[in-house]
């Protein structure tokens, strides 16, 4: 509304200047030039209509662009929230232990938030790269398996004190190798989330 008011004011100024210039020429004699002293109403109306159309078209496009920018900023912020959840979960896993309910709920929040973003984007004027969505789905599935699933192990490994993953009293414990694997996978997830933000911003 503010932009519309500003454009209307500018339009009024432009039209006033045109009218002032036309009136001024009626009282000024320019050597070697002959200026008509009659007013062509149709010509004046054409100028006025053209000026108003230019103002309205500019205002409409400006509003659409602003709305589009706001939509993208809101979605990018939502992706940033997912990034924060992933970073927090990564920090917990780096400690070598995490409560199983926290791991599951955080991953569920990430998946739910991403699906929500996909639905919102479908209602907007742009699409998310399908390949990027597939890579996000795969890395999240991989993280879930690495974070919560116990791999098949031999009897010899079973007697080892350095199991890749062990669950005691609802607490998941990781060895150093599993922590390193999770570190790499979470970094990949965060990179993909940043790529998602960039992809949305370019639309």
């Amino acid at each position: 509304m503010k932009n519309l008011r500003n454009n209307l004011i500018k339009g009024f100024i432009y039209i006033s200047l045109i009218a002032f210039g036309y009136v001024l020429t009626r009282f000024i004699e320019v050597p070697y030039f002959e200026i008509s002293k009659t007013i062509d109403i149709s010509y004046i109306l054409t100028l006025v209509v053209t000026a108003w159309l230019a103002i309205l078209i500019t205002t409409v496009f400006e509003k659409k662009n602003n709305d589009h920018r706001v939509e993208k900023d809101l979605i990018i912020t939502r992706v940033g929230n997912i990034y924060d959840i992933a970073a927090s979960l990564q920090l917990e896993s780096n400690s070598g232990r995490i409560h199983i309910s926290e791991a599951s709920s955080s991953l569920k929040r990430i998946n739910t938030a991403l699906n929500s973003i996909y639905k919102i984007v479908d209602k907007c004027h742009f699409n998310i790269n399908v390949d990027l969505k597939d890579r996000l789905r795969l890395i999240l599935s991989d993280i879930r398996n690495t974070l919560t699933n116990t791999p098949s192990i031999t009897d010899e490994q079973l007697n080892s004190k350095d199991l890749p993953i062990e669950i005691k009293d609802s607490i998941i414990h990781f060895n150093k190798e599993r922590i390193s694997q999770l570190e790499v996978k979470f970094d990949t997830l965060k990179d993909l989330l940043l790529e998602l933000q960039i992809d949305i911003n370019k639309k």
Side-chain angles (χ1 to χ4, degrees):
M1 185 61 69
K2 183 178 180 181
N3 289 332
L4 177 60
R5 185 172 65 250
N6 291 338
N7 286 332
L8 290 176
I9 292 173
K10 289 179 182 178
F12 178 76
I13 293 173
Y14 294 151
I15 293 172
S16 298
L17 289 174
I18 293 172
F20 176 75
Y22 187 85
V23 171
L24 190 63
T25 59
R26 292 175 55 82
F27 299 98
I28 296 178
E29 296 290 341
V30 181
Y32 308 109
F33 288 93
E34 183 178 346
I35 301 175
S36 174
K37 303 299 183 181
T38 60
I39 298 177
D40 188 342
I41 299 299
S42 63
Y43 179 71
I44 296 298
L45 288 175
T46 300
L47 286 177
V48 172
V49 171
T50 302
W52 282 115
L53 283 176
I55 293 168
L56 290 175
I57 291 173
T58 301
T59 302
V60 169
F61 277 110
E62 185 177 346
K63 184 179 185 304
K64 285 185 177 180
N65 288 335
N66 287 339
D67 290 345
H68 192 48
R69 180 69 258 173
V70 170
E71 289 173 354
K72 291 198 297 184
D73 287 343
L74 289 173
I75 295 171
I76 289 172
T77 299
R78 292 285 297 276
V79 177
N81 293 337
I82 297 174
Y83 184 99
D84 292 339
I85 297 173
S88 177
L89 189 57
Q90 180 181 22
L91 189 62
E92 285 290 325
S93 65
N94 284 346
S95 69
R97 50 181 291 165
I98 186 172
H99 199 284
I100 190 169
S101 62
E102 181 180 351
S104 298
S105 63
S106 294
L107 288 173
K108 184 177 180 180
R109 286 172 62 197
I110 291 174
N111 277 298
T112 301
L114 275 176
N115 288 328
S116 175
I117 287 173
Y118 297 155
K119 290 178 181 178
I120 293 172
V121 168
D122 286 340
K123 297 178 181 179
C124 298
H125 310 289
F126 54 92
N127 296 311
I128 295 174
N129 186 288
V130 175
D131 175 67
L132 179 55
K133 291 168 69 174
D134 287 340
R135 284 184 286 145
L136 279 165
R137 177 178 54 80
L138 290 174
I139 191 61
L140 282 169
S141 176
D142 198 8
I143 287 176
R144 177 179 292 280
N145 290 333
T146 308
L147 194 63
T148 60
N149 287 355
T150 303
S152 299
I153 56 177
T154 64
D155 292 338
E156 183 180 350
Q157 289 175 316
L158 186 60
N159 296 323
S160 172
K161 294 183 180 180
D162 190 33
L163 293 173
I165 181 172
E166 189 176 6
I167 301 176
K168 293 181 180 179
D169 299 325
S170 299
I171 303 295
I172 308 174
H173 299 266
F174 310 108
N175 67 0
K176 291 182 179 180
E177 182 181 358
R178 180 56 64 93
I179 291 173
S180 297
Q181 292 173 355
L182 286 168
E183 181 80 5
V184 172
K185 296 179 192 300
F186 273 113
D187 283 342
T188 301
L189 172 60
K190 292 193 295 183
D191 287 344
L192 288 175
L193 290 172
L194 289 175
E195 186 178 338
L196 177 59
Q197 288 181 314
I198 293 171
D199 184 61
I200 292 172
N201 190 56
K202 288 181 177 179
K203 302 298 183 180

